[in-house]
Structures are given as structure tokens and as C-alpha cells.
């Protein structure tokens, strides 16, 4: 990695630490957050199916069909985005490597389990395997034959493929995958326990990228505990937004499921803003020249991306938009008008897209505004 001098500090100036790595950091957070969203939506649907005292306490109503369908769609979208995100993010990471195929040797070569690079590699592999299984069990199975929902497009594609093949039969690829899903799907209680393990993996996946960066102690901008906390909040927020964007596209914008997840996302964004504020306060009060150079970069070189992209359009405006939609949705009859319903749906979709854009820009700015502190050499 090349470096260039700037006011006594060293800029991490390398194209390899720009778009590809920012994309990987972003998609890793989205994948973990989307899986957590899927798990929570699955829990809500399970509680509605059980209709016990806990469901009445947490959900208030268990007879809302639209809410039940939205939970199912959110769970499926979350698991699918978890798989797609880690797959595309993994490709972006491998493209950063000089010899991508050497990554396949990690079980033999990566033995330093005190390193976040090694920890993260194992977490990526284990999370990817579990996310694929979760997606298999949520999207396939005999009970889903004839089921509707935009999130089921993978099985619809396979069904179409079965229909156009010259050897058309009732036992095609879809039937085979359905059979595998039914044969491997664990009992409900065991599945719930496994989801806890999946949740731990997803949180670790979100946080490890920040921990890896913060191991570079000469970069004050990447310091702990601020950056890992910010990445965790941002990862969960972008994961919720990605999964719920799918739910909105599936027609579930005006359901209680989307409304509750949207408000939860707002709360997480506010906490994320607090974390960003604490990091900026730390940088401004630090006498370290690298910290001061990073702060200058944020509000000078990358002012448009950071202030305009991350703070304004990526966090503050989405919260304001969400609260406006909440008032219209909950305290008026705005959605009863077809035009009003379309505007509310568009508002939800816009909010989620802005959060996703802000999440990517956050990672990009974190990489590009990083400045190495100058090394103090005695006698010089």
C-alpha cells in the first residue's frame, strides 16, 4: 500500500482500499443485519402461529393475516439477502487479493486464531453455510408448493426451468430441492436454537470488519470502541432496510410488520448518529495529527459524501421521512386513498434506499479519510 505525506501525517492512498473493500464492508454488514431481521420476523410469525400469552403480549393481535404474510416475506427476503450479500461481498473481497485462489487454503494456513483476519474468515464461511441452509428451509418444501410472494422467486425460476426442459416431469429440480429441504429441516425448537447461533455469527460478521480495521492502531479514525459500535448499528440498520425494501416491493408496505421494523430502524439510526458524534468528538479532542487530518478530510475533502451523503441523506432525512410516514399512517386516513397508499409505499421505499446508500458511503468515507499517525523517532 502506498502512502503520501500530508501535514505531518500519512494518507492511506491506495485504490485497493476504495470501492472493492468498501463494497465488501457494506455487504458484510447488510448480510448480517438482514439475517437478524429474518430471524426476528420468523420469531414474530412463529408467535402468531402459536397464539399463546407471549404472542398476545408482544404482538397485541395474532389474527392479522397481512401482518403474518409480511413477516413471512420479511423472513424470506432477509435470509436471501444474507446469502446474496455475503456471496457478492466475498467476490469483492477476493478481487482485492493478489492471488484469490489462495484463499481456499485458509483452513490450513489461517491458524492464528487471535487475529481478526482469521476469526473473520471462519465467520464468513460458517455464516455463509448457515445462511444457505436457512434460505433453503424458508424457500423450499412441500408446504410452499403453490405459495405466493415475490420473495419466492428462486423457486419460481426453478419451476419455470423445469417446465421448459425437454424431459419435463413432476419430479424436476424444484421437487428435488423441496425434498432435500423437508428432509433436512430441523424441528421447530432445534431450529430456534440454531438461529441463536446464526445470530451470533451475523453480529460477529458485522463487527469483525471494524475490529480488523481498528487493529491498525496508527489510524486514530479506526479506533475502538467507536468504529465497531458504529458498524454494528449501521449493519443492523442497512440489513433491516434491505429486507424491508423487499417486503415493500412484495406489497407489505402498509402492514404492521413493516411499520414496526421501520420504527426499530429509526431508533437504531439515532443510536448510530450518537456513535458517530462520539467518534467525531474523540477526533476533535485528540492531539494526534492523524486524528486531526482525518477530521479535516471528513469536513473538507469528503464533505459532500460525509455530511451530505452519510449524515443528511443516509441518516437524518430517512428518520424524518419515517416519522412523517408514521404520523400519516397511524393518525390519519391517508392510506385509505389509493394515491395516499402509493405515496406512503413510495415513502417507505425511499427511506430504505437512502439508508442503504448512506451505509455504503459510511464505509467508503471511513476508508478514504483514514490517515496514519506519524511515527515518532527519537533523535529526529
Amino acid at each position: 500500500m502506498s502512502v503520501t505525506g500530508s501535514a505531518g501525517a500519512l494518507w492511506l492512498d491506495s485504490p485497493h482500499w476504495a470501492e472493492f473493500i468498501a463494497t465488501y464492508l457494506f455487504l458484510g454488514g447488510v448480510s448480517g443485519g438482514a439475517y437478524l431481521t429474518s430471524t426476528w420476523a420468523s420469531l414474530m410469525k412463529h408467535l402468531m402461529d402459536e397464539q399463546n400469552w407471549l404472542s398476545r403480549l408482544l404482538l397485541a393481535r395474532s389474527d392479522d393475516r397481512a401482518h403474518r404474510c409480511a413477516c413471512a416475506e420479511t423472513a424470506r427476503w432477509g435470509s436471501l439477502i444474507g446469502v446474496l450479500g455475503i456471496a457478492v461481498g466475498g467476490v469483492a473481497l477476493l478481487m482485492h487479493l493478489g492471488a484469490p485462489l489462495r484463499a481456499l487454503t485458509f483452513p490450513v494456513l489461517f491458524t492464528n486464531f487471535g487475529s481478526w483476519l482469521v476469526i473473520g474468515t471462519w465467520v464468513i464461511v460458517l455464516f455463509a453455510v448457515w445462511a444457505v441452509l436457512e434460505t433453503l428451509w424458508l424457500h423450499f418444501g412441500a408446504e410452499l408448493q403453490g405459495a405466493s410472494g415475490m420473495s419466492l422467486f428462486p423457486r419460481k425460476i426453478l419451476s419455470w426451468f423445469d417446465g421448459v426442459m425437454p424431459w419435463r416431469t413432476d419430479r424436476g429440480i424444484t421437487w428435488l430441492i423441496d425434498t432435500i429441504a423437508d428432509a433436512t429441516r430441523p424441528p421447530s425448537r432445534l431450529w430456534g436454537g440454531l438461529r441463536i447461533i446464526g445470530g451470533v455469527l451475523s453480529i460477529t460478521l458485522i463487527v469483525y470488519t471494524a475490529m480488523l480495521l481498528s487493529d491498525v492502531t496508527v489510524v486514530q479514525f479506526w479506533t475502538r470502541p467507536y468504529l465497531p459500535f458504529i458498524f454494528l448499528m449501521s449493519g443492523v440498520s442497512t440489513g433491516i432496510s434491505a429486507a424491508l425494501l423487499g417486503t415493500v416491493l412484495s406489497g407489505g408496505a402498509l402492514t404492521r410488520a413493516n411499520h414496526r421494523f421501520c420504527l426499530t430502524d429509526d431508533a437504531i439510526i439515532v443510536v448510530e448518529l450518537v456513535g458517530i458524534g462520539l467518534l467525531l468528538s474523540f477526533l476533535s479532542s485528540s492531539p494526534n495529527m492523524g486524528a486531526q487530518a482525518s477530521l479535516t478530510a471528513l469536513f473538507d475533502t469528503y464533505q459532500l459524501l460525509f455530511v451530505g451523503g452519510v449524515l443528511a441523506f443516509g441518516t437524518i432525512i430517512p428518520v424524518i421521512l419515517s416519522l412523517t410516514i408514521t404520523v400519516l399512517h397511524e393518525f390519519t386516513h391517508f392510506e385509505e386513498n389509493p394515491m395516499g397508499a402509493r405515496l406512503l409505499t413510495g415513502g417507505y421505499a425511499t427511506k430504505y434506499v437512502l439508508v442503504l446508500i448512506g451505509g455504503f458511503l459510511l464505509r467508503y468515507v471511513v476508508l478514504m479519510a483514514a490517515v496514519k499517525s506519524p511515527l515518532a523517532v527519537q533523535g529526529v
Side-chain angles (χ1 to χ4, degrees):
M1 179 183 299
S2 63
V3 296
T4 57
S6 175
L10 295 175
W11 293 84
L12 297 180
D13 185 19
S14 171
H16 298 293
W17 279 77
E19 290 82 6
F20 283 142
I21 295 301
T23 299
Y24 164 67
L25 297 178
F26 168 68
L27 291 177
V30 170
S31 296
Y35 177 84
L36 289 174
T37 306
S38 173
T39 299
W40 183 248
S42 296
L43 174 62
M44 288 198 295
K45 183 178 181 299
H46 174 73
L47 290 175
M48 294 184 74
D49 293 337
E50 291 292 320
Q51 296 189 8
N52 54 24
W53 66 270
L54 185 59
S55 67
R56 290 189 292 272
L57 176 65
L58 296 179
L59 302 177
R61 290 175 55 194
S62 59
D63 59 345
D64 189 339
R65 176 177 172 80
H67 181 58
R68 186 191 304 269
C69 292
C71 285
E73 279 289 284
T74 302
R76 289 193 290 259
W77 277 115
S79 67
L80 187 61
I81 291 170
V83 172
L84 295 177
I86 200 65
V88 177
V91 171
L93 179 62
L94 290 176
M95 292 181 69
H96 164 71
L97 302 178
L101 293 180
R102 291 187 61 186
L104 299 177
T105 64
F106 81 91
V108 177
L109 299 181
F110 285 21
T111 57
N112 180 15
F113 291 98
S115 166
W116 275 101
L117 178 63
V118 177
I119 295 171
T121 303
W122 279 102
V123 167
I124 291 172
V125 173
L126 293 175
F127 174 82
V129 171
W130 175 246
V132 168
L133 290 174
E134 182 88 9
T135 302
L136 171 69
W137 296 331
L138 287 175
H139 285 78
F140 293 92
E143 66 176 12
L144 291 175
Q145 293 178 4
S148 61
M150 189 179 291
S151 63
L152 292 171
F153 73 88
R155 67 176 297 116
K156 294 177 182 178
I157 292 175
L158 292 177
S159 297
W160 173 85
F161 186 76
D162 287 338
V164 299
M165 296 306 294
W167 56 81
R168 279 184 280 182
T169 174
D170 292 337
R171 296 191 172 187
I173 298 176
T174 307
W175 173 86
L176 177 61
I177 298 179
D178 282 344
T179 303
I180 294 173
D182 288 335
T184 58
R185 184 181 292 108
S188 179
R189 290 183 180 273
L190 177 58
W191 194 354
L194 292 174
R195 276 175 169 153
I196 295 176
I197 299 176
V200 173
L201 286 173
S202 64
I203 292 174
T204 309
L205 175 66
I206 298 171
V207 172
Y208 110 85
T209 52
M211 298 298 289
L212 185 64
L213 292 178
S214 60
D215 274 344
V216 185
T217 56
V218 293
V219 179
Q220 291 286 298
F221 190 19
W222 295 346
T223 191
R224 299 173 186 169
Y226 304 108
L227 191 62
F229 178 78
I230 293 170
F231 270 31
L232 176 60
M233 294 298 104
S234 176
V236 176
S237 174
T238 53
I240 291 175
S241 295
L244 268 296
L245 182 59
T247 303
V248 169
L249 296 176
S250 300
L254 302 182
T255 61
R256 288 189 300 128
N258 178 57
H259 179 62
R260 291 186 177 192
F261 272 114
C262 189
L263 291 180
T264 301
D265 186 34
D266 293 341
I268 294 171
I269 291 174
V270 171
V271 176
E272 178 189 349
L273 281 171
V274 172
I276 293 174
L278 291 174
L279 175 58
L280 294 177
S281 175
F282 165 78
L283 293 176
S284 64
S285 62
S286 174
N288 183 280
M289 287 193 296
Q292 294 301 315
S294 290
L295 192 64
T296 300
L298 288 176
F299 291 97
D300 185 3
T301 308
Y302 299 104
Q303 180 182 30
L304 180 62
L305 294 179
F306 179 64
V307 178
V310 177
L311 296 182
F313 284 95
T315 52
I316 297 174
I317 291 178
V319 172
I320 295 174
L321 182 59
S322 176
L323 294 178
T324 303
I325 295 171
T326 297
V327 172
L328 293 174
H329 191 186
E330 292 294 313
F331 301 105
T332 71
H333 301 286
F334 194 68
E335 76 279 1
E336 295 179 0
N337 183 292
M339 179 60 72
R342 286 194 291 270
L343 288 174
L344 290 178
T345 300
Y348 278 120
T350 301
K351 185 247 178 160
Y352 294 141
V353 170
L354 289 177
V355 171
L356 289 170
I357 293 173
F360 173 78
L361 292 178
L362 172 66
R363 273 94 179 155
Y364 182 81
V365 169
V366 162
L367 291 177
M368 300 306 293
V371 180
K372 291 178 64 177
S373 305
L375 298 178
V377 180
Q378 292 183 351
V380 178

